Amino acid sequence: MFSSVHPSWSQAGCSDGSIRLHQLSSAFPLLQWDSSTDSHAVTGLQWSPTRPAVFLVQDDTSNIYIWDLLQSDLGPVAKQQLSPNRLVAMAAVGEPEKAGGSFLALVLARASGSIDVQHLKRQWAAPERDERNRLRLLLQEALWQEGKPHK
């Protein structure tokens, strides 16, 4: 999944539960989080359309994890188990052009064929002050660590 902040940044979610943030010009990840889903396979990964520092992760046990890199670059800031009907896909939707009145919702597809829409808290929907630049600085710091993965 490519970042809306910088087109040369891409994320990958792996079957071992790790998540990697790459810069396309380097073989080494800028940031890497091992076992971020308690070693459950990552089955969905998406940057927030309204907050540049927020991304969402789905694992194969129907958990959704919310990451806010400005709040913590060590792990997710929230986790929600979605049961009993197994989650098969998620999509984050929002209105990025509405800076003050942004909303962020998850469209969730279930194994039964049902679709749910869940609105997320405003703290994960409305961009923080100077968020894009703050995120760029955070990721540039990772670059300066000469390709060493952050764990």
Side-chain angles (χ1 to χ4, degrees), residues 126-141:
E128 292 186 11
R129 186 171 175 253
D130 203 27
E131 183 164 341
R132 284 184 186 275
N133 288 331
R134 291 173 56 205
L135 179 60
R136 281 190 185 113
L137 289 173
L138 175 75
L139 297 179
Q140 285 173 350
E141 286 177 25

Side-chain angles (χ1 to χ4, degrees), residues 4-89:
S4 63
V5 175
H6 199 290
S8 69
W9 295 335
S10 175
Q11 280 186 312
C14 304
S15 62
D16 66 358
S18 64
I19 298 169
R20 297 181 184 101
L21 178 63
H22 288 271
Q23 182 167 359
L24 297 181
S25 62
S26 174
F28 298 100
L30 289 171
L31 298 171
Q32 178 175 320
W33 300 275
D34 294 326
S35 302
S36 63
T37 60
D38 297 323
S39 300
H40 297 288
V42 174
T43 56
L45 180 63
Q46 185 175 350
W47 286 100
S48 166
T50 62
R51 289 248 350 249
V54 171
F55 63 92
L56 302 122
V57 175
Q58 171 191 341
D59 75 14
D60 65 354
T61 60
S62 298
N63 288 306
I64 298 287
Y65 305 82
I66 300 173
W67 289 70
D68 182 342
L69 294 176
L70 297 182
Q71 188 175 345
S72 172
D73 65 351
L74 300 176
V77 295
K79 174 184 173 182
Q80 180 66 47
Q81 170 72 38
L82 300 171
S83 59
N85 191 353
R86 188 172 62 85
L87 183 64
V88 294

